[in-house]
Structure formats: structure tokens, C-alpha cells
Amino acid sequence: MDKNVTMEKIVSLCKRRGFIFPSSEIYGGFSAIYDFGPYGAELENNIKKEWWKNMVQLRDDIVGLDSAIFMHPKVWEASGHVAGFSDPLTECRKCHSRLRVDHLLKDVGIAADEKMSDEEINKIFLKNKDKIKCTNCGAKDFTEARKFNLLVKSNLGNFTEDWTKDPVYLRGETCQGIYVNYKNVLDSSRVKIPFGIAQIGKAFRNEITARQFIFRTREFEQMEMQYFTSPDEEMKEYEKLKKYRWDYYVKSLGIRKENLSWKKHDNLVFYAKEAYDIEYNYPFGFKELEGVHARGNYDLSQHSKYSGQDFTYVDQLKGKKYVPHIIESSAGVGRTLLAVICDVYTEEEVNGEKRAVLKFKNNLAPIKAAVFPLLKNKTELVAKAKEIYDNFKIKFMCEFDDNGNIGKRYRRQDEIGTPFCLTVDFDSLQNNDITVRDRDTMKQERVKIDELEDYLKKKLGE
Ligand SMILES: [Zn+2]
């Protein structure tokens, strides 16, 4: 990461250049929800496209899925979310901020276990009361901690007054949609174990404290792949998946290796075999970007128990019967987008002036090329630039810009990370060529307009 990166700069650039806006900003914003602006939406799409390419298109053993956000409420009982998907919550008696007790404890160096009961949490909380301060106002006066369930409830399909007794949930994770479709996919496609099912979609969690911009939000998008294996090959496949996912960040997204690291989970849930996270070095420290976990056969066993369906797989190759084990890769679109922006954000000094530039890998850049006429009021230049723009916009995302001087247009394209700026000037009319300016080197090259398409295709493909 560029040493100049701070969250303030990232948040400000994202707002100023139309990557990320706070939700419903005209009404004062809506806590822990964000909207992706014109360039954010492009970047998000490019990230999802790259993920899908790596996880589905290039893999003979993985198929895609798009399951609905709403599912039968039993799904969340079987998964354990209704009973156990909760965070310990306290309220500051002075400023009434709601805070996560495990975060407060962590701030004073005490690790709270996810599996602790209300009672256990309160005991530790009480014991350390003198050390713990409200992160908002600094007071040391808190209510008793209680566990708060993170599932978001809804009255979908329920027309009674008191629907809260019998709610349906907005999904808290996308993988449950994969588990409940395991048999449908197995029976309808030509997959054989080992195989995976991948999907991208929104999930919702009633996060108590939203921190660090889009890192933890109440509505977010996941990219998850669940891979079904035989019990004896689970760990072998797990090692393969770990390597595959690491390579994806480095090679496909271009994230610098030194900003990534593996973190092993020390406290495993009882059914898990092994769990690692890939962490990214955000301006607020190394934090989870993706989880790669070996989950045993817990997920299918639970759904078998609650639905009464048999998920035993008959492995003809091995002559064995078993309930498949699952290894998963679970990443967030927002977290990936934030990691990518932090990783490519660069400040440079050019002729005594500072420039901020997003040095995206070409496959991720929201706009691939911007076309400028040198001057706005010369109709021949504008017509020529428009012609080139119209030709390229059917091939990839392009922009036409004739606003302000060239220097200002370059700075704007640098800040949204456009790899190439193409300028039509008076020589262009004579020689049928154009100035191509490279975002990173700022070098300018004359390229014949007839050769421009091949030139850009080659460069963008690199
Ligand atoms: Zn307070």
C-alpha cells in the first residue's frame, strides 16, 4: 500500500468521484448501508466478473447458482442461525450508543469467544469494567450485555398483525442457498464429487456496530463457493482451494502479496476441520477479506436432519457411500472492492503538483479509455473524437470528455483509474493519428487511428 493511504482519503475520493455514496444521503444517510455510484458499480461488476470467471468459467468442476434471498424459515433453524447467530450487545448509559462487547473487550486486549453465553460474557465484562470506555463518549457506564441475533426479520408472505412471532428472514449468508440446492444440482447436471457450486448475491445482517466504511455493512454482497468432497479427500482439496484463492487475489486482481496474509482460526467451531482467512492490510490494519474453511459434513447433515431428506452420495468410483464434506471459499464484494482501491491508490508528485491515481489492473478499471478532443469549440476535433468514441464504446467502457483543459481531464481520469486517455488534436486531422497517454507512466505516444483498436486490445489484455 502507498504510505499516503488513509481511510479519510479513500472515503473522500470514493464520494467525490462517484464510487461510493452513503445510502439515502439526502435524508441524513442510513446507518451501515452504502450505495455504489457510477464508477463503483463498474468496479463492482468487474470484480464479480473476474470472480465468476475464476470460479465457474475456468473450472470444469464448479457450476453456478442464483438462489433467492428468501428461503423457508427452517433453513435458518437447521443452519443454527436462529439459535446461535448473535453478538453480545451493551448500551452506554450516558450517550446511548450500542456497542459490541467483544469489540470493547478486544480494544483492551481481551479475546471474547463467539461461543460464550450471556452469563460468561457478562462475567468478563464486569471484571474489566474499569478499563472499558465507551468508544463514542468515553464514559464507563454500561448496561448488562445480552446476545442480539443478527438475522434480519421480515413479514414477507405473512399478513397477520403479529408477524414477529413467525418471521421469515432475509438470508444472513448466501451459502445456505447452495446447501439446499445440492441435490437439485447433482440430479440435474453432470457433476460428480468432487464438485462445487458458486454464487454471488446479497446477504443481510443486523450488525450492531458498523465500522470502517464499507468493511462491515448491514446489507452486503457475497461471493461464495461450496465444494463437495469425499471425507478422505477433504483436506487435500482444501489445500488446493487455499492456493487457488490466494493466486486469484495476486494474479487476477493484482493485489500486492505483501498486503495479503493468511490467518489461522484458533477457536474452531466444533464441526470444522480447519479454517483460515485471507487478510488484507487495510489502512485500519490486517482484516478478513475471505474465509477458506473446511467444514466437515455438518451443513448437509443438519439439512438432512431438519428436512428428512437423505444426502448420502453413492461414490461409484470409490465404491463408498457418504454424506459429502464441504470446503468453502467465502468473500465479500465490498471488502474486495475496498481492498483493491486501497491497494491501487497512489499519490505522486508531477512537476511540483500532487496527483492521486488509482492504478487498477486493466481488467478492473471502471473505464478502459477516455477520448478527448483537444479543444471543445473546434467542431472538426469534436467530430473526430466522437467518431472514435462511438467505435470503441461498443467494445468496452469508454468515456467522452471535452470539459476543461487537458490537464484537468487527465487528473479526473487518473482519479477514477482509466488506463488510457486518447486525445484528438490538429495533427490528428492531417496524419490520422492520435495521442495515447498511459495512466501510470504518463508517457504519450502517437498511434495511427487504424491501428488503435489492435493497440488497445493488446494493452488492455496484458
Ligand atoms: Zn457513550
Side-chain angles (χ1 to χ4, degrees):
M1 203 168 30
D2 188 293
K3 62 181 186 321
N4 297 307
V5 180
T6 63
M7 273 320 283
E8 291 73 34
K9 285 180 188 172
I10 297 290
V11 172
S12 151
L13 182 136
C14 283
K15 170 84 199 294
R16 192 172 71 247
R17 292 304 186 193
F19 283 91
I20 299 164
F21 306 130
S23 162
S24 325
E25 204 181 7
I26 59 166
Y27 293 104
F30 193 56
S31 185
I33 310 273
Y34 288 89
D35 297 335
F36 291 97
Y39 300 120
E42 291 299 332
L43 177 55
E44 195 188 27
N45 281 339
N46 292 342
I47 286 169
K48 289 192 268 186
K49 209 156 72 188
E50 205 53 56
W51 187 88
W52 197 264
K53 185 179 169 191
N54 269 268
M55 297 305 264
V56 181
Q57 191 183 331
L58 296 175
R59 296 282 302 237
D60 302 335
D61 56 343
I62 302 176
V63 292
L65 177 78
D66 185 11
S67 71
I69 285 171
F70 287 102
M71 285 185 267
H72 196 290
K74 276 255 180 212
V75 169
W76 304 104
E77 280 176 43
S79 69
H81 284 74
V82 172
F85 190 46
S86 51
D87 284 333
L89 168 76
T90 185
E91 193 175 314
C92 167
R93 285 207 169 95
K94 199 177 160 209
C95 73
H96 302 288
S97 293
R98 296 205 171 112
L99 303 158
R100 261 175 76 170
V101 177
D102 54 334
H103 286 168
L104 290 170
L105 288 170
K106 205 177 167 193
D107 289 344
V108 295
I110 301 158
D113 195 317
E114 288 172 11
K115 287 166 280 178
M116 284 179 175
S117 66
D118 276 2
E119 208 172 286
E120 287 169 303
I121 288 263
N122 273 309
K123 233 169 145 181
I124 306 177
F125 192 37
L126 266 175
K127 220 171 103 188
N128 295 284
K129 231 172 176 170
D130 296 339
K131 279 190 265 177
I132 300 165
K133 279 188 281 188
C134 171
T135 46
N136 184 46
C137 75
K140 289 181 174 176
D141 191 7
F142 296 101
T143 63
E144 200 167 272
R146 70 182 170 86
K147 288 268 191 112
F148 184 83
N149 194 285
L150 270 67
L151 284 176
V152 178
K153 290 174 185 165
S154 143
N155 68 344
L156 184 91
N158 187 329
F159 303 98
T160 62
E161 288 288 307
D162 198 7
W163 58 270
T164 53
K165 278 189 185 142
D166 202 11
V168 293
Y169 303 98
L170 277 77
R171 64 182 174 198
E173 56 185 24
T174 53
C175 55
Q176 296 300 329
I178 295 179
Y179 305 145
V180 300
N181 278 298
Y182 158 73
K183 220 165 173 327
N184 281 336
V185 172
L186 186 68
D187 294 345
S188 63
S189 39
R190 289 154 50 237
V191 291
K192 282 196 182 76
I193 280 189
F195 75 93
I197 303 175
Q199 90 162 324
I200 298 175
K202 291 271 176 115
F204 304 82
R205 291 179 190 174
N206 247 332
E207 296 285 354
I208 294 157
T209 43
R211 288 188 185 185
Q212 286 121 2
F213 196 32
I214 58 166
F215 182 79
R216 193 182 301 283
T217 53
R218 293 185 179 135
E219 175 180 337
F220 57 101
E221 197 159 23
Q222 292 188 304
M223 303 179 281
E224 294 201 297
M225 194 282 293
Q226 307 291 314
Y227 200 75
F228 302 85
T229 79
S230 70
D232 49 334
E233 288 188 332
E234 180 178 7
M235 294 320 286
K236 187 188 86 187
E237 293 296 340
Y238 180 67
E239 290 309 320
K240 268 162 58 182
L241 183 63
K242 270 177 73 187
K243 184 178 182 314
Y244 192 72
R245 293 304 300 157
W246 178 271
D247 287 350
Y248 159 80
Y249 287 107
V250 176
K251 290 177 191 159
S252 299
L253 303 190
I255 294 181
R256 279 171 276 188
K257 268 187 217 150
E258 64 266 29
N259 287 330
L260 293 169
S261 76
W262 282 109
K263 187 175 180 206
K264 191 175 193 229
H265 286 218
D266 294 323
N267 296 318
L268 288 179
V269 279
F270 69 93
Y271 51 80
K273 289 271 186 61
E274 199 161 281
Y276 273 87
D277 290 341
I278 297 177
E279 294 194 328
Y280 179 75
N281 186 16
Y282 294 98
F284 42 84
F286 273 97
K287 285 270 158 42
E288 182 189 346
L289 181 57
E290 153 156 2
V292 187
H293 303 163
R295 300 179 53 84
N297 67 5
Y298 178 77
D299 305 292
L300 287 184
S301 298
Q302 283 294 102
H303 283 300
S304 179
K305 197 166 117 192
Y306 277 76
S307 68
Q309 302 274 323
D310 184 7
F311 293 134
T312 306
Y313 181 79
V314 182
D315 195 328
Q316 270 145 359
L317 276 173
K318 291 200 169 80
K320 278 182 185 171
K321 284 183 185 182
Y322 51 81
V323 173
H325 284 218
I326 289 174
I327 56 174
E328 75 168 358
S329 151
S330 172
V333 175
R335 286 182 183 191
T336 306
L337 186 143
L338 184 59
V340 166
I341 291 185
C342 291
D343 212 63
V344 299
Y345 180 91
T346 314
E347 283 178 9
E348 291 171 351
E349 197 145 300
V350 183
N351 305 328
E353 262 186 68
K354 206 160 75 178
R355 82 159 181 158
V357 51
L358 297 182
K359 295 186 173 179
F360 290 120
K361 207 166 175 296
N362 290 340
N363 59 343
L364 297 183
I367 303 296
K368 310 298 181 197
V371 187
F372 309 150
L374 183 66
L375 297 168
K376 191 180 185 169
N377 52 6
K378 295 284 176 223
T379 47
E380 316 94 283
L381 297 184
V382 173
K384 188 86 185 159
K386 265 268 160 67
E387 189 193 316
I388 292 166
Y389 167 69
D390 285 340
N391 178 35
F392 280 122
K393 77 176 181 191
I394 54 174
K395 301 184 171 79
F396 40 75
M397 281 304 293
C398 284
E399 246 181 30
F400 178 86
D401 189 3
D402 59 3
N403 201 13
N405 66 43
I406 289 285
K408 209 178 130 200
R409 290 182 234 167
Y410 280 158
R411 271 200 299 282
R412 182 170 173 279
Q413 295 299 335
D414 285 347
E415 285 202 346
I416 62 167
T418 306
F420 299 104
C421 290
L422 318 173
T423 306
V424 174
D425 55 22
F426 292 105
D427 288 343
S428 304
L429 303 176
Q430 298 294 315
N431 308 330
N432 205 38
D433 61 4
I434 196 166
T435 301
V436 179
R437 182 252 197 190
D438 181 286
R439 175 195 67 202
D440 298 345
T441 63
M442 291 179 286
K443 282 208 180 102
Q444 303 192 2
E445 244 189 290
R446 292 299 285 193
V447 177
K448 289 279 176 208
I449 291 172
D450 304 340
E451 292 160 15
L452 191 56
E453 187 174 339
D454 284 344
Y455 176 92
L456 287 178
K457 266 193 184 157
K458 188 169 163 269
K459 291 267 186 183
L460 288 170
E462 275 166 7

